[in-house]
Amino acid sequence: VAWRARPTNVSSRPSSGPAGVSSASGITRGWPRYHPGMYTASSLLDIHARAHESLRRLIQLCRTLDEGALQQPLAGFGFPTVMRQLEHTIAAELYWQRVLTPGYHTEATLPALPHLDGMEAFRRQTADITRAYLAAASDAEVNTPRTMVS
């Protein structure tokens, strides 16, 4: 399926009244307002596949760096090293898997990830679990609100 940008529909915002209250429906909603059926399982599968292909390519590109560069702390970087940033990116998906499936009760235990081979294996395993969830999920399931724990 080819991806196509869709124009943003700004006419869905209320033209009068307090923020988040639609003058037409009287329903209070916080901004941003999303259509209750904003996502479909198939659209999320597509987004997920594209994101993991980009992440796979990034990990492959990181193979051009020496081990020291991958572990070197970088000032102003989200997580202090390239390896920790990659780990965090994949672990964030693992967090959401736990929110969506069994319910979030405890922190996940991450594997040891000292090298890019392990990082790529962790990415593949995490992607496979999400892909299986999305393939079996209904559109109603993927639009069901979840409780986040931080």
Side-chain angles (χ1 to χ4, degrees):
V1 175
W3 179 84
R4 286 175 272 170
R6 294 183 182 173
T8 302
N9 182 359
V10 293
S11 65
S12 64
R13 289 187 174 176
S15 57
S16 63
V21 177
S22 169
S23 57
S25 68
I27 297 173
T28 302
R29 297 184 183 155
W31 293 107
R33 287 181 18 193
Y34 299 108
H35 185 274
M38 182 174 179
Y39 298 106
T40 64
S42 64
S43 68
L44 290 175
L45 271 168
D46 180 58
I47 292 166
H48 183 258
R50 291 169 189 272
H52 272 276
E53 177 57 19
S54 294
L55 187 53
R56 185 194 66 75
R57 289 178 184 189
L58 177 60
I59 291 170
Q60 186 65 30
L61 178 66
C62 287
R63 293 181 187 282
T64 65
L65 302 172
D66 64 40
E67 196 64 34
L70 292 170
Q71 300 295 345
Q72 177 183 346
L74 302 168
F77 205 58
F79 280 79
T81 68
V82 171
M83 290 296 285
R84 290 277 299 137
Q85 188 67 49
L86 289 170
E87 176 186 298
H88 169 71
T89 301
I90 301 165
E93 183 172 343
L94 181 61
Y95 165 83
W96 279 107
Q97 288 172 356
R98 294 172 68 84
V99 168
L100 293 171
T101 50
Y104 188 90
H105 302 291
T106 60
E107 288 280 332
T109 302
L110 299 180
L113 300 167
H115 304 289
L116 287 171
D117 288 341
M119 192 70 70
E120 175 57 19
F122 180 44
R123 183 203 64 77
R124 274 194 317 269
Q125 177 186 19
T126 304
D128 289 346
I129 292 167
T130 300
R131 190 177 310 106
Y133 166 78
L134 290 171
S138 67
D139 292 348
E141 165 71 13
V142 300
N143 286 287
T144 299
R146 301 302 201 290
T147 301
M148 291 177 42
V149 177
S150 45

